[in-house]
Amino acid sequence: LSGCQTKPKKAAIKKLDLATVIVAFGDSLTHGQGVDVGKHSYPAVLERLVRVKVFNAGIPGETTAEGLARLPRLLEKGIPHLIILCEGGNDMLKGVDEKETSANLGKMNELIRSKGTEIVLVGVPRLRIPYKTADLYNELAAKYNVPLESAVLAKLEGIPAFKSDEIHLNEQGYAIMANAIYLRLEELQKEPR
Protein backbone atom coordinates (compact mmCIF):
# COMPACT_ATOMS: atom_id res chain seq x y z
CA LEU A 1 0.00 0.00 0.00
CA SER A 2 2.90 2.33 -0.55
CA GLY A 3 0.73 4.43 -2.88
CA CYS A 4 -1.38 5.46 0.14
CA GLN A 5 1.52 7.00 2.04
CA THR A 6 1.70 10.76 1.98
CA LYS A 7 5.03 12.44 1.67
CA PRO A 8 5.74 15.03 4.39
CA LYS A 9 5.51 18.59 3.09
CA LYS A 10 8.79 20.31 2.41
CA ALA A 11 9.62 23.00 4.93
CA ALA A 12 8.69 26.34 3.39
CA ILE A 13 7.57 29.82 4.41
CA LYS A 14 5.02 32.29 3.05
CA LYS A 15 6.17 34.98 0.66
CA LEU A 16 7.55 38.00 2.51
CA ASP A 17 5.86 41.32 1.75
CA LEU A 18 5.95 44.88 3.09
CA ALA A 19 3.63 43.96 5.98
CA THR A 20 5.85 41.07 7.13
CA VAL A 21 7.36 41.33 10.61
CA ILE A 22 10.35 39.16 11.44
CA VAL A 23 11.78 38.63 14.92
CA ALA A 24 15.36 37.42 15.28
CA PHE A 25 15.27 35.56 18.63
CA GLY A 26 18.37 34.27 20.35
CA ASP A 27 21.44 35.04 22.39
CA SER A 28 24.54 37.21 21.85
CA LEU A 29 25.06 35.99 18.27
CA THR A 30 21.63 37.39 17.45
CA HIS A 31 22.13 40.50 19.58
CA GLY A 32 25.34 41.30 17.69
CA GLN A 33 27.90 41.27 20.46
CA GLY A 34 31.21 42.64 19.22
CA VAL A 35 29.78 45.20 16.74
CA ASP A 36 27.49 48.25 16.55
CA VAL A 37 24.20 46.35 17.07
CA GLY A 38 22.02 48.85 15.21
CA LYS A 39 24.16 48.75 12.08
CA HIS A 40 26.10 45.50 11.92
CA SER A 41 24.27 42.78 13.89
CA TYR A 42 22.89 40.07 11.64
CA PRO A 43 19.26 41.25 12.20
CA ALA A 44 20.21 44.81 11.14
CA VAL A 45 21.95 43.57 7.99
CA LEU A 46 19.13 41.10 7.25
CA GLU A 47 16.56 43.90 7.50
CA ARG A 48 18.38 45.79 4.75
CA LEU A 49 18.50 42.65 2.59
CA VAL A 50 14.85 41.55 2.96
CA ARG A 51 13.46 45.11 3.10
CA VAL A 52 11.00 44.26 5.86
CA LYS A 53 11.18 44.98 9.60
CA VAL A 54 13.48 42.61 11.51
CA PHE A 55 13.32 43.08 15.29
CA ASN A 56 16.46 42.13 17.18
CA ALA A 57 15.37 40.06 20.19
CA GLY A 58 18.83 38.76 21.08
CA ILE A 59 19.88 38.61 24.74
CA PRO A 60 23.60 38.01 25.45
CA GLY A 61 24.25 35.04 27.71
CA GLU A 62 20.76 33.58 27.36
CA THR A 63 20.29 29.82 27.62
CA THR A 64 17.47 27.93 25.92
CA ALA A 65 15.68 27.60 29.29
CA GLU A 66 15.79 31.38 29.69
CA GLY A 67 14.72 31.84 26.07
CA LEU A 68 11.78 29.50 26.59
CA ALA A 69 10.73 31.53 29.66
CA ARG A 70 11.08 34.84 27.74
CA LEU A 71 9.33 33.79 24.52
CA PRO A 72 5.70 33.99 25.78
CA ARG A 73 6.26 37.58 26.97
CA LEU A 74 7.64 38.51 23.56
CA LEU A 75 4.67 36.92 21.79
CA GLU A 76 2.23 38.81 24.05
CA LYS A 77 3.55 42.07 22.53
CA GLY A 78 2.44 41.04 19.05
CA ILE A 79 2.55 38.06 16.76
CA PRO A 80 5.32 38.27 14.14
CA HIS A 81 4.97 36.51 10.80
CA LEU A 82 8.34 34.77 11.18
CA ILE A 83 10.79 34.04 14.00
CA ILE A 84 14.40 33.19 13.22
CA LEU A 85 15.56 31.13 16.21
CA CYS A 86 19.29 30.94 16.92
CA GLU A 87 19.96 29.68 20.42
CA GLY A 88 21.85 26.94 22.23
CA GLY A 89 25.46 28.10 22.31
CA ASN A 90 25.28 29.16 25.96
CA ASP A 91 23.81 25.77 26.87
CA MET A 92 26.90 24.16 25.33
CA LEU A 93 29.23 26.57 27.13
CA LYS A 94 27.52 25.83 30.47
CA GLY A 95 27.42 22.06 29.95
CA VAL A 96 23.62 21.80 29.82
CA ASP A 97 22.51 18.30 28.84
CA GLU A 98 21.81 18.18 25.10
CA LYS A 99 18.42 16.52 25.70
CA GLU A 100 17.36 19.53 27.79
CA THR A 101 18.54 21.96 25.09
CA SER A 102 16.66 20.00 22.44
CA ALA A 103 13.51 19.84 24.59
CA ASN A 104 13.61 23.60 25.21
CA LEU A 105 14.05 24.37 21.51
CA GLY A 106 11.24 21.94 20.70
CA LYS A 107 8.90 23.68 23.15
CA MET A 108 9.84 27.05 21.62
CA ASN A 109 8.99 25.69 18.19
CA GLU A 110 5.62 24.40 19.42
CA LEU A 111 4.78 27.72 21.07
CA ILE A 112 5.77 29.74 17.99
CA ARG A 113 3.75 27.49 15.68
CA SER A 114 0.73 27.56 18.03
CA LYS A 115 0.52 31.32 17.36
CA GLY A 116 0.47 30.76 13.60
CA THR A 117 3.99 32.17 13.29
CA GLU A 118 6.49 30.56 10.98
CA ILE A 119 9.95 29.61 12.18
CA VAL A 120 13.40 29.17 10.71
CA LEU A 121 16.00 27.51 12.92
CA VAL A 122 19.69 28.44 12.76
CA GLY A 123 22.04 25.62 13.74
CA VAL A 124 24.71 26.38 16.34
CA PRO A 125 28.03 24.56 16.25
CA ARG A 126 29.75 22.87 19.13
CA LEU A 127 32.38 25.32 20.27
CA ARG A 128 35.39 23.14 19.61
CA ILE A 129 37.52 22.39 16.59
CA PRO A 130 36.44 21.14 14.14
CA TYR A 131 33.34 23.35 14.33
CA LYS A 132 30.29 21.30 13.40
CA THR A 133 26.61 22.09 13.89
CA ALA A 134 25.28 20.09 16.82
CA ASP A 135 23.20 17.12 15.62
CA LEU A 136 20.21 18.21 17.69
CA TYR A 137 19.41 21.00 15.16
CA ASN A 138 19.07 18.58 12.25
CA GLU A 139 17.00 16.27 14.48
CA LEU A 140 14.67 19.12 15.50
CA ALA A 141 14.31 20.28 11.89
CA ALA A 142 13.30 16.78 10.84
CA LYS A 143 10.99 16.15 13.81
CA TYR A 144 9.06 19.41 13.43
CA ASN A 145 9.50 19.91 9.67
CA VAL A 146 11.22 23.22 10.44
CA PRO A 147 13.40 25.00 7.89
CA LEU A 148 17.03 25.01 9.02
CA GLU A 149 20.08 27.07 8.11
CA SER A 150 22.70 24.64 9.33
CA ALA A 151 26.03 25.62 7.83
CA VAL A 152 26.82 29.31 8.23
CA LEU A 153 27.74 29.51 11.92
CA ALA A 154 29.86 26.37 11.85
CA LYS A 155 31.77 27.81 8.90
CA LEU A 156 32.22 31.29 10.44
CA GLU A 157 33.27 30.02 13.88
CA GLY A 158 36.19 28.26 12.24
CA ILE A 159 37.60 31.39 10.56
CA PRO A 160 39.28 33.88 12.96
CA ALA A 161 39.13 36.67 10.33
CA PHE A 162 35.32 36.75 10.76
CA LYS A 163 35.34 36.91 14.58
CA SER A 164 35.62 39.72 17.12
CA ASP A 165 36.58 37.30 19.93
CA GLU A 166 36.63 33.53 20.50
CA ILE A 167 32.87 33.20 19.96
CA HIS A 168 31.34 36.34 18.50
CA LEU A 169 31.49 37.57 14.95
CA ASN A 170 32.79 40.84 13.57
CA GLU A 171 31.06 43.10 11.01
CA GLN A 172 32.10 40.90 8.11
CA GLY A 173 31.05 37.71 9.93
CA TYR A 174 27.59 39.01 10.83
CA ALA A 175 27.13 40.24 7.25
CA ILE A 176 27.93 36.74 5.95
CA MET A 177 25.53 35.22 8.50
CA ALA A 178 22.76 37.64 7.46
CA ASN A 179 23.35 36.90 3.78
CA ALA A 180 23.18 33.13 4.36
CA ILE A 181 19.88 33.52 6.23
CA TYR A 182 18.59 35.85 3.50
CA LEU A 183 19.42 33.28 0.81
CA ARG A 184 17.74 30.56 2.88
CA LEU A 185 14.60 32.70 3.23
CA GLU A 186 14.59 33.32 -0.52
CA GLU A 187 14.89 29.59 -1.17
CA LEU A 188 12.13 28.75 1.34
CA GLN A 189 9.69 31.15 -0.31
CA LYS A 190 10.07 29.24 -3.58
CA GLU A 191 9.30 25.83 -2.07
CA PRO A 192 5.76 24.51 -2.66
CA ARG A 193 3.70 24.72 0.54
Side-chain angles (χ1 to χ4, degrees), residues 29 84-89 92 105 120-126 132-138 140-141 147-155 157 177 181:
L29 287 169
I84 300 169
L85 179 60
C86 177
E87 204 153 46
M92 293 179 214
L105 289 168
V120 172
L121 187 61
V122 178
V124 179
R126 298 187 187 289
K132 178 183 177 292
T133 300
D135 292 338
L136 68 94
Y137 294 94
N138 287 307
L140 284 165
L148 173 68
E149 201 316 299
S150 64
V152 69
L153 276 177
K155 192 179 296 180
E157 288 291 345
M177 181 180 180
I181 293 170

Side-chain angles (χ1 to χ4, degrees), residues 101-165:
T101 300
S102 182
N104 289 335
L105 289 168
K107 288 174 188 170
M108 283 189 237
N109 172 72
E110 290 167 5
L111 179 58
I112 291 165
R113 288 253 175 104
S114 75
K115 302 293 184 185
T117 297
E118 296 187 301
I119 180 171
V120 172
L121 187 61
V122 178
V124 179
R126 298 187 187 289
L127 298 174
R128 62 175 181 258
I129 298 171
Y131 293 101
K132 178 183 177 292
T133 300
D135 292 338
L136 68 94
Y137 294 94
N138 287 307
E139 292 163 6
L140 284 165
K143 179 178 179 179
Y144 292 102
N145 194 30
V146 173
L148 173 68
E149 201 316 299
S150 64
V152 69
L153 276 177
K155 192 179 296 180
L156 290 170
E157 288 291 345
I159 304 173
F162 296 140
K163 294 165 75 173
S164 62
D165 61 30

Side-chain angles (χ1 to χ4, degrees), residues 57-107:
I59 302 288
E62 184 172 78
T63 63
T64 58
E66 293 164 336
L68 178 58
R70 177 170 67 102
L71 184 59
R73 294 190 304 273
L74 180 132
L75 292 172
E76 283 170 10
K77 295 177 182 176
I79 307 299
H81 299 90
L82 171 67
I83 290 182
I84 300 169
L85 179 60
C86 177
E87 204 153 46
N90 290 308
D91 289 40
M92 293 179 214
L93 286 172
K94 294 178 180 183
V96 174
D97 185 273
E98 196 170 275
K99 288 179 184 168
E100 183 180 333
T101 300
S102 182
N104 289 335
L105 289 168
K107 288 174 188 170

Side-chain angles (χ1 to χ4, degrees), residues 45-62:
V45 177
L46 182 62
E47 182 174 274
R48 293 191 294 271
L49 292 169
V50 296
R51 298 185 179 139
V52 301
K53 186 64 188 162
V54 179
F55 289 96
N56 186 335
I59 302 288
E62 184 172 78

